[in-house]
């Protein structure tokens, strides 16, 4: 069965015991090459590890498809991956609140915050791991031109995903790290 | 229905085989125990003997009872060319096709993060050691033209980048001989167009 292509799948039976009878391609193939292959496999692994087996979501499928398109066209790959992670968490019911800190006050550009995994952001003094309000607002608005926004988003969503993986290993992340170690370019920074 | 403990153990063992679900495992177990005990005994004996004697070739990882498989032990083959394949069946296919007289390295799979298969499971350290030992001037990556095969090929080509003087290539993919373009799937056709060869 091809990956990264929309398929019409025919199932026999119902519930957990259903079996696939046949499939036919029903959309264009997303041609991913070189390091972009790993990005595609990363999306697949995220869904496989986090999304319920029988669950369906038209919105998530649409986002998955459009994310593959952006990756295949090398268009804002990192931003696309971060947006996918954020939306997947939200679809799973684990949306992060970027507008208010944990004490209920609005997140402001001049403030600094600490990421409390699984709960949100709390006000913090200016310490090395603190994230500026300006960055959180940029992430919330998908305004990725602000330097550091993608870096912080990557850290935030990685920590959130790790929490919900409940100890499962995300093998693509390991693979990407290994590629990063061996490639001359900094592939890890691209993810 | 509940089976005897040993029958249940057999069914569960058969379920461990790829593509075998509970119903198929039950059918096979019942067939072996009720209809064909001779076959069951031969299977058990063959399995026991294979487990005791069959290992991996020290050079290419092919399944063999010797330290080196017949291909690696063959002194008439070209030591400068190494072809990386996913499975022993791929070696057989390439040998049947003819046209390649070099050495092989068998990954015994491909990168598959969803199934937890990473580079360490494919013997890539062994491949790197073999290349670092010198003598090989061309590495031909013959992984399958699938997403996982492509990822594996990309990973290997990155991994061996530092081997000086090594030419790395990947086998061509495209329309099969005797094929008809309108019947070829989109992915194959795309690859054929991407890797088109200049004729003039």
């Amino acid at each position: 069965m091809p990956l990264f292509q929309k398929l019409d799948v025919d199932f026999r039976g119902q519930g957990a015991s259903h079996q696939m009878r046949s499939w036919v391609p029903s959309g264009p193939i997303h041609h991913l090459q070189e390091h972009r292959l790993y990005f595609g496999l990363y999306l697949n692994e995220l869904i496989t590890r986090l999304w319920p087996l029988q669950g369906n979501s038209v919105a998530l499928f649409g986002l998955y498809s459009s994310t593959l398109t952006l990756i295949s066209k090398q268009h804002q790959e990192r931003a696309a991956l971060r947006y996918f992670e954020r939306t997947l968490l939200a679809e799973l019911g684990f949306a992060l609140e970027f507008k208010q800190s944990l004490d209920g006050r609005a997140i402001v550009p001049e403030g600094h915050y600490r990421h409390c995994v699984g709960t949100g952001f709390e006000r913090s003094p200016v310490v090395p791991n603190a994230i500026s309000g300006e960055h959180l607002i940029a992430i919330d608005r998908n305004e990725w031109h602000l330097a550091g926004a993608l870096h912080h988003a990557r850290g935030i969503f990685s920590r959130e995903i790790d929490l919900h993986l409940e100890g499962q290993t995300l093998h693509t992340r390991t693979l990407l790290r290994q590629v990063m170690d061996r490639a001359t370019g900094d592939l890890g920074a691209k993810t | 229905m509940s089976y005897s403990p040993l029958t249940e153990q057999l069914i569960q063992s058969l379920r461990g085989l790829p593509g075998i679900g509970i119903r198929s495992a039950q059918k096979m177990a019942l067939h072996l125990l009720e209809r064909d005990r001779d076959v069951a005994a031969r299977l058990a004996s063959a399995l026991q003997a294979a487990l005791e004697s069959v290992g991996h070739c020290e050079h290419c990882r092919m399944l063999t009872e010797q330290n080196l498989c017949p291909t690696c032990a063959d002194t008439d083959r070209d030591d400068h060319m190494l072809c990386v394949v996913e499975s022993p069946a791929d070696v057989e296919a390439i040998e049947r096709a003819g046209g390649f007289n070099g050495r092989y390295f068998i990954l015994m799979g491909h990168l598959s993060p969803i199934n937890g298969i990473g580079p360490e499971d494919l013997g890539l350290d062994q491949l790197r050691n073999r290349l670092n030992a010198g003598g090989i001037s061309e590495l031909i990556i013959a992984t399958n033209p699938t997403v996982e095969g492509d990822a594996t090929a990309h990973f290997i080509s990155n991994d061996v980048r530092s081997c000086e003087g090594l030419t790395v290539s990947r086998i061509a993919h495209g329309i099969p001989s005797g094929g008809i373009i309108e019947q070829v799937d989109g992915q194959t056709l795309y690859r054929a167009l991407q890797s088109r060869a200049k004729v003039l």
Side-chain angles (χ1 to χ4, degrees):
Chain A
M1 188 185 280
L3 295 181
F4 310 136
Q5 182 173 32
K6 189 179 176 187
L7 307 172
D8 279 341
V9 183
D10 185 18
F11 288 104
R12 180 175 53 199
Q14 290 183 332
S17 63
H18 73 277
Q19 287 184 318
M20 189 177 66
R21 203 197 315 246
S22 63
W23 58 266
V24 287
S26 63
I29 303 163
H30 297 280
H31 297 285
L32 307 183
Q33 292 172 335
E34 299 181 341
H35 67 271
R36 291 182 292 284
L37 272 170
Y38 305 111
F39 294 164
L41 291 171
Y42 174 68
L43 297 183
N44 284 8
E45 193 179 8
L46 271 185
I47 294 171
T48 305
R49 306 257 178 254
L50 293 175
W51 193 253
L53 193 60
Q54 303 288 331
N56 74 65
S57 164
V58 173
L60 186 65
F61 182 79
L63 177 65
Y64 171 73
S65 189
S66 58
T67 306
L68 286 176
T69 302
L70 290 172
I71 292 170
S72 66
K73 294 183 187 306
Q74 301 180 60
H75 182 68
Q76 297 188 332
E77 296 163 330
R78 295 168 63 198
L81 289 173
R82 299 296 80 86
Y83 187 71
F84 182 86
E85 290 167 343
R86 181 182 177 182
T87 310
L88 175 63
L89 288 166
E91 286 283 315
L92 286 164
F94 307 128
L96 267 183
E97 177 57 77
F98 281 88
K99 291 189 168 38
Q100 289 184 343
S101 58
L102 287 172
D103 59 8
R105 287 189 287 176
I107 286 177
V108 292
E110 57 277 17
H112 283 82
Y113 301 86
R114 187 174 75 86
H115 177 207
C116 304
V117 182
T119 52
F121 302 95
E122 70 175 7
R123 278 186 162 269
S124 158
V126 184
V127 290
N129 287 332
I131 306 167
S132 75
E134 191 182 15
H135 281 121
L136 292 180
I137 291 167
I139 294 168
D140 187 39
R141 293 175 180 168
N142 287 311
E143 291 173 353
W144 303 108
H145 55 269
L146 178 66
L150 277 168
H151 169 77
H152 285 301
R154 184 179 178 219
I156 291 166
F157 296 130
S158 285
R159 290 188 289 271
E160 291 291 324
I161 286 166
D162 284 346
L163 174 72
H164 299 298
L165 282 171
E166 295 177 341
Q168 294 182 90
T169 304
L170 210 48
H171 294 280
T172 352
R173 200 187 277 164
T174 313
L175 196 58
L176 281 160
R177 205 173 297 132
Q178 288 172 310
V179 172
M180 175 186 72
D181 287 345
R182 287 171 182 153
T184 49
D186 186 5
L187 190 58
K190 287 183 184 173
T191 60
Chain B
M1 180 183 171
S2 63
Y3 295 102
S4 74
L6 289 177
T7 310
E8 187 59 38
Q9 190 180 321
L10 176 60
I11 292 168
Q12 292 307 323
S13 299
L14 289 166
R15 278 196 74 186
L17 296 171
I20 302 295
I22 182 69
R23 292 212 182 282
S24 301
Q26 284 170 348
K27 262 189 205 172
M28 291 161 85
L30 296 178
H31 178 85
L32 290 169
L33 294 175
E34 287 192 342
R35 306 230 181 262
D36 215 338
R37 289 208 167 211
D38 284 348
V39 167
R42 283 204 300 277
L43 178 64
S45 167
L47 198 54
Q48 184 67 36
L51 285 173
E52 282 172 8
S53 305
V54 177
H56 290 109
C57 170
E58 288 175 3
H59 284 181
C60 74
R61 309 211 319 153
M62 173 69 97
L63 295 170
T64 177
E65 284 98 295
Q66 313 297 327
N67 290 341
L68 293 181
C69 70
T71 311
C72 289
D74 184 348
T75 52
D76 288 336
R77 298 190 74 103
D78 185 348
D79 286 326
H80 299 99
M81 296 172 84
L82 183 68
C83 182
V84 178
V85 296
E86 291 186 16
S87 75
D90 298 334
V91 173
E92 293 302 315
I94 294 171
E95 286 296 293
R96 269 199 313 274
F100 177 73
N101 191 42
R103 303 292 184 182
Y104 291 98
F105 187 86
I106 307 171
L107 301 169
M108 296 291 180
H110 50 230
L111 290 176
S112 180
I114 284 177
N115 296 312
I117 300 173
E120 61 283 356
D121 302 303
L122 304 178
L124 295 188
D125 286 345
Q126 193 181 335
L127 174 64
R128 215 175 304 121
N129 290 340
R130 194 162 168 193
L131 294 170
N132 287 338
I136 295 165
S137 56
E138 183 174 358
L139 183 73
I140 302 170
I141 303 174
T143 52
N144 290 327
T146 59
V147 169
E148 293 95 338
D150 289 349
T152 307
H154 181 258
F155 191 92
I156 292 171
S157 58
N158 252 324
D159 202 38
V160 302
R161 189 176 287 188
S162 58
C163 296
E164 279 183 29
L166 181 71
T167 303
V168 182
S169 60
R170 187 157 183 220
I171 57 167
H173 306 121
I175 299 165
S177 297
I180 298 166
I181 288 178
E182 68 174 12
Q183 292 173 358
V184 172
D185 68 276
Q187 178 77 348
T188 305
L189 205 49
Y190 175 86
R191 283 172 178 272
L193 284 166
Q194 290 299 304
S195 45
R196 63 190 180 275
K198 206 169 181 180
V199 292
L200 194 63

